[in-house]
Amino acid sequence: MPIHSVLRAAALRDGRIPFRETGRRGRWRNAPAAAVIAVLSLLFVSPARAQMDLDTRATVAYVTLAGDTLYDVAQRYLADTHAWRVVARLNHVSAPRLLPPGTTLRLPLRLLRRDATPVSVIATSGLVTTRVHEPGAAGAPAVPLRLGRILGENDMVSTGPDGFATLELADGTYVSLTPNSSIVFSILRKMAMTGIQERVIELEKGEVTNEVTHAKQPGDRFEVRTPAIVAGVRGTHFRVNVMPSMTAVEVLDGKVAVGASAHAMPAKAQWDAKGSEFLGAGEGSATPSDGAVGAARPLLPAPTLRHPAKVQDASVVRFEIEPATGATAYRVQIARDADLLDLIREVRVQAPSATFSDLPDGTYFVRVSAIDAAGLEGLPRVYAFERRTNELSASGAQRAGTHDYRFLWRASRADANTRFRLILSQHEDMHDPIVDAVDLSGNSLVVSDLPAGDYYWRVVAQEYDHGRFYDTPGAVHTFTLAN
């Protein structure tokens, strides 16, 4: 049955009414007083999906202003201006050019204009391409996707083996792609007067992460469709990953309804809630490519990173993860921002250790998560880290005919403010040192009259830069002095 409710009520001020959009930017705008509306009957078909194929009884109220005609109303708000006749019959209007101010007209929602909404490109890394849909044209070539580009309905975005992309929808929703993924924005529409939004993404391959703004209007919908499932939400943070054997849905926040694939149904068919799975925060489902929708199951908790404050100064960036119970693999991702919208690297590993090469110096954020036996990725944990390359090399040699030993070293970041520390011990763990020389400004040191035996040594580079102390230990070396 239709649901009668009021969408918005406000006092008229000089013929215009301020209202606030509650997206991330929170912009203030003005709307004509004629657009002050009340939903007199808006149909909900299922809690699993806000159905946009509204029946003929669903209407929205419009209050006429001085000078309005039925033709004007149809031109402003209806998809087909000739549909004024339907509105006239519904409201028993016999004189379409004579509408007294203050008259309430009921406009069928199915007749309202649906305007296309844009998609902005806010972050890319690696190979990312797009195929822009052009009506009447076939086989448009893929072109590189650049920051700031505006995309629209039926446009495709694809990432290569090293590609990442984050896109922002008109309502502030973020959609992020990881490597080897491809999506099509099949529906991007906003209904006139009501503001009801339709956003449908076809995930053809790979993975898409969605951070969806909460629905502002009854009837708003956001869906991700794959060959196996369709996931519908009204405001949440979730991932969908199409793999060869199954499709995984993982919910980080909010709720998601997962049902049978929309590809097997007409575009406007009802989505029957029967047989659907409802996933809450911290839950996921794994749906086989040729099977029923997977049951809800808890996701693994977020793993912990060992030594998260460590400055990444070696030739490669290395992360060590505390082994997690139930984990068969781990995923490690690096981004330039704390929200991980600007992803640049990722790797999946079976052991709780991951390395990355060719990462320039700077401040980054790493996200770690565990993967269970079903292939579902668990909850993530994010850490900030500093990449500050300082490769420290060292060598040494005994002076001929003596028991003197000369130590040499070099640091890639050394400058006039760099100091070094040399530690020499007869123990591999470097305890009880024979020599512990500090505040060395040069790159060599000679130690005389060493007795015969086995020795271990290392050099530590020490710097104070921008209010922070950096201590970079080199590798432990060993040598033997004969009698």
Side-chain angles (χ1 to χ4, degrees), residues 302-443:
T304 302
L305 198 64
R306 290 178 173 173
H307 314 299
K310 173 188 174 184
V311 176
Q312 296 284 349
D313 51 22
S315 57
V316 297
V317 173
R318 180 182 298 276
F319 299 105
E320 301 292 338
I321 305 168
E322 292 286 352
T325 303
T328 61
Y330 300 87
R331 187 181 193 183
V332 183
Q333 297 172 297
I334 296 176
R336 296 188 180 97
D337 66 309
D339 292 327
L340 277 85
L341 297 177
D342 192 3
L343 282 164
I344 58 173
R345 300 279 196 282
E346 79 163 28
V347 67
R348 293 173 185 258
V349 292
Q350 291 184 324
S353 176
T355 59
F356 298 87
S357 59
D358 302 324
L359 188 67
D361 288 358
T363 299
Y364 298 92
F365 298 84
V366 58
R367 178 166 59 193
V368 293
S369 54
I371 300 171
D372 65 18
L376 292 178
E377 181 182 342
L379 300 175
R381 194 185 305 274
V382 178
Y383 299 88
F385 74 93
E386 184 176 3
R387 171 64 165 155
R388 191 177 189 273
T389 311
N390 192 9
E391 295 186 56
L392 190 58
S393 59
S395 62
Q398 183 178 2
R399 287 185 169 182
T402 72
H403 277 195
D404 298 347
Y405 203 87
R406 187 184 186 199
F407 302 91
L408 301 103
W409 56 84
R410 185 182 67 83
S412 61
R413 296 185 67 94
D415 58 24
N417 298 316
T418 305
R419 295 293 183 267
F420 298 94
R421 177 185 179 189
L422 174 70
I423 305 170
L424 176 65
S425 173
Q426 288 188 299
H427 305 281
E428 189 174 1
D429 61 4
M430 306 301 293
H431 81 274
D432 193 18
I434 299 171
V435 175
D436 191 350
V438 298
D439 201 30
L440 303 174
S441 58
N443 62 353

Side-chain angles (χ1 to χ4, degrees), residues 133-424:
H133 174 73
E134 297 180 4
V143 297
L145 185 62
R146 305 300 184 192
L147 286 180
R149 178 151 190 175
I150 303 300
L151 302 175
E153 196 170 87
N154 292 316
D155 289 348
M156 173 186 285
V157 177
S158 300
T159 55
D162 64 343
F164 299 87
T166 294
L167 313 158
E168 184 179 10
L169 278 56
D171 68 329
T173 289
Y174 291 118
V175 175
S176 298
L177 280 73
T178 51
N180 297 312
S181 300
S182 182
I183 64 171
V184 175
F185 293 103
S186 62
I187 301 178
L188 293 170
R189 296 281 167 160
K190 186 174 183 178
M191 185 184 292
M193 293 187 67
T194 67
I196 292 173
Q197 299 201 59
E198 299 177 86
R199 298 149 294 167
V200 178
I201 294 174
E202 305 280 347
L203 175 59
E204 299 188 341
K205 67 174 183 175
E207 180 186 67
V208 62
T209 298
N210 312 282
E211 191 171 347
V212 184
T213 58
H214 287 276
K216 303 180 184 71
Q217 309 290 357
D220 280 354
R221 70 161 168 160
F222 181 95
E223 290 179 4
V224 176
R225 298 177 179 176
T226 78
I229 60 97
V230 54
V233 303
R234 286 177 57 79
T236 190
H237 189 185
F238 72 108
R239 296 184 294 254
V240 181
N241 190 0
V242 176
M243 293 177 259
S245 61
M246 63 121 173
T247 297
V249 179
E250 298 132 356
V251 181
L252 307 181
D253 182 54
K255 296 180 180 180
V256 173
V258 181
S261 172
H263 290 270
M265 302 182 295
K268 293 294 185 177
Q270 297 274 348
W271 180 14
D272 189 357
K274 295 179 180 179
S276 298
E277 282 291 330
F278 295 86
L279 309 179
E283 293 183 328
S285 72
T287 299
S289 299
D290 57 354
V293 173
R297 56 185 294 163
L299 300 177
L300 291 179
T304 302
L305 198 64
R306 290 178 173 173
H307 314 299
K310 173 188 174 184
V311 176
Q312 296 284 349
D313 51 22
S315 57
V316 297
V317 173
R318 180 182 298 276
F319 299 105
E320 301 292 338
I321 305 168
E322 292 286 352
T325 303
T328 61
Y330 300 87
R331 187 181 193 183
V332 183
Q333 297 172 297
I334 296 176
R336 296 188 180 97
D337 66 309
D339 292 327
L340 277 85
L341 297 177
D342 192 3
L343 282 164
I344 58 173
R345 300 279 196 282
E346 79 163 28
V347 67
R348 293 173 185 258
V349 292
Q350 291 184 324
S353 176
T355 59
F356 298 87
S357 59
D358 302 324
L359 188 67
D361 288 358
T363 299
Y364 298 92
F365 298 84
V366 58
R367 178 166 59 193
V368 293
S369 54
I371 300 171
D372 65 18
L376 292 178
E377 181 182 342
L379 300 175
R381 194 185 305 274
V382 178
Y383 299 88
F385 74 93
E386 184 176 3
R387 171 64 165 155
R388 191 177 189 273
T389 311
N390 192 9
E391 295 186 56
L392 190 58
S393 59
S395 62
Q398 183 178 2
R399 287 185 169 182
T402 72
H403 277 195
D404 298 347
Y405 203 87
R406 187 184 186 199
F407 302 91
L408 301 103
W409 56 84
R410 185 182 67 83
S412 61
R413 296 185 67 94
D415 58 24
N417 298 316
T418 305
R419 295 293 183 267
F420 298 94
R421 177 185 179 189
L422 174 70
I423 305 170
L424 176 65

